[in-house]
Amino acid sequence: MTQLSPSILSADFAHLANDCAAVMNAGADMLHFDVMDGHFVPNISFGLPVLRSLHKALPEALLDVHLMISEPMRYAEEFAKAGAGIITFHYECGQVAETIAAIKATGCKVGLSIKPATPAEALLPYLKDLDLILVMSVEPGFGGQKFMPAALDKLRFLQDACAQRGLAPYLEVDGGVDLKGSGKACVEAGANLLVAGSAVFAAPSPAEAVQAFRAL
Ligand code: DX5
Ligand code: ZN
């Protein structure tokens, strides 16, 4: 069954707890929390204080934290303490093995992500250590961009690579995932966890959008 992680980047921050409760009640599996530092990506979003508040408001919700920041290792412990359940960082930041170990030491699940220009093969040496693989299907930094179909080949490749090794991590895809076509294509290519920001929170009924995604 495909799981869904709605990205709160497209939520109404003045009503964040309510919006998140609505999508969780509608059947979302977790909440995707996009942290941007204005350095690794050309945008700034939100960080630790917002995560703490969200965790306090919805203590049962699994928080899927996507760190689009330089030096993710430096902040792993603080994000774990603030309520993260999964911490995903970017391969392009370097110090990959060390950062995986640092995140594991916090007790959180660990994810590794690649930007569109990074080949899927880059992840192979780390597969056995990961709980989650995140394939970016847009340039990270902004919600509401167009899906890049090259992500589909990466999903197929990574799904095969995991199956060959007897591994079954979350295979997550993020960026431009919608109900019109890209969502279904991602599931067919092997994704088992879809991130959707605007397709959920900008929909007339986010709850109905969640149900439709889960039926893909
Ligand atoms: C982009 C973020 C995404 C973003 C996706 O850098 O990582 O999680 O919220 O938004 P949509 O689904 O609107 O492309
Ligand atoms: Zn994201």
Side-chain angles (χ1 to χ4, degrees):
M1 171 92 140
T2 311
Q3 297 198 29
L4 182 68
S5 188
S7 168
I8 69 160
L9 192 61
S10 298
D12 176 354
F13 299 132
H15 303 104
L16 187 58
N18 281 347
D19 279 15
C20 289
V23 295
M24 290 305 288
N25 290 335
D29 297 279
M30 58 188 85
L31 295 166
H32 188 80
F33 191 93
D34 284 307
V35 182
M36 303 182 187
D37 64 354
H39 184 256
F40 180 71
V41 290
N43 193 11
I44 298 175
S45 58
F46 39 71
L48 290 161
V50 179
L51 187 65
R52 253 176 238 123
S53 295
L54 190 59
H55 180 54
K56 196 168 157 203
L58 298 173
E60 304 298 327
L62 176 58
L63 301 175
D64 165 33
V65 173
H66 178 193
L67 294 180
M68 285 164 277
I69 63 172
S70 304
E71 295 191 78
M73 188 161 51
R74 203 170 136 192
Y75 298 97
E77 197 171 338
E78 281 186 274
F79 277 98
K81 281 196 186 131
I86 305 171
I87 300 178
T88 296
F89 69 102
H90 270 267
Y91 169 84
E92 297 82 7
C93 294
Q95 293 189 287
V96 175
E98 295 87 341
T99 307
I100 290 173
I103 293 172
K104 281 196 169 169
T106 70
C108 284
K109 288 194 159 66
V110 59
L112 185 59
S113 182
I114 47 171
K115 299 209 280 184
T118 303
E121 287 82 354
L123 297 179
L124 293 180
Y126 308 103
L127 285 189
K128 65 177 188 335
D129 301 316
L130 298 172
D131 300 295
L132 182 149
I133 297 164
L134 172 55
V135 173
M136 290 306 301
S137 41
V138 298
E139 273 310 325
F142 300 90
Q145 303 181 75
K146 200 169 168 320
F147 181 80
M148 299 166 82
L152 297 172
D153 282 336
K154 291 186 183 179
L155 289 170
R156 283 185 209 104
F157 175 85
L158 289 164
Q159 214 263 334
D160 272 4
C162 289
Q164 275 169 25
R165 292 164 174 75
L167 302 169
Y170 286 116
L171 185 47
E172 183 176 49
V173 58
D174 181 6
V177 175
D178 63 26
L179 279 164
K180 285 176 238 141
S182 59
K184 198 164 178 24
C186 288
V187 173
E188 282 166 5
N192 56 28
L193 177 57
L194 304 178
V195 176
S198 37
V200 169
F201 286 107
S205 164
E208 279 174 27
V210 168
Q211 286 155 7
F213 266 111
R214 285 183 52 92
L216 280 181

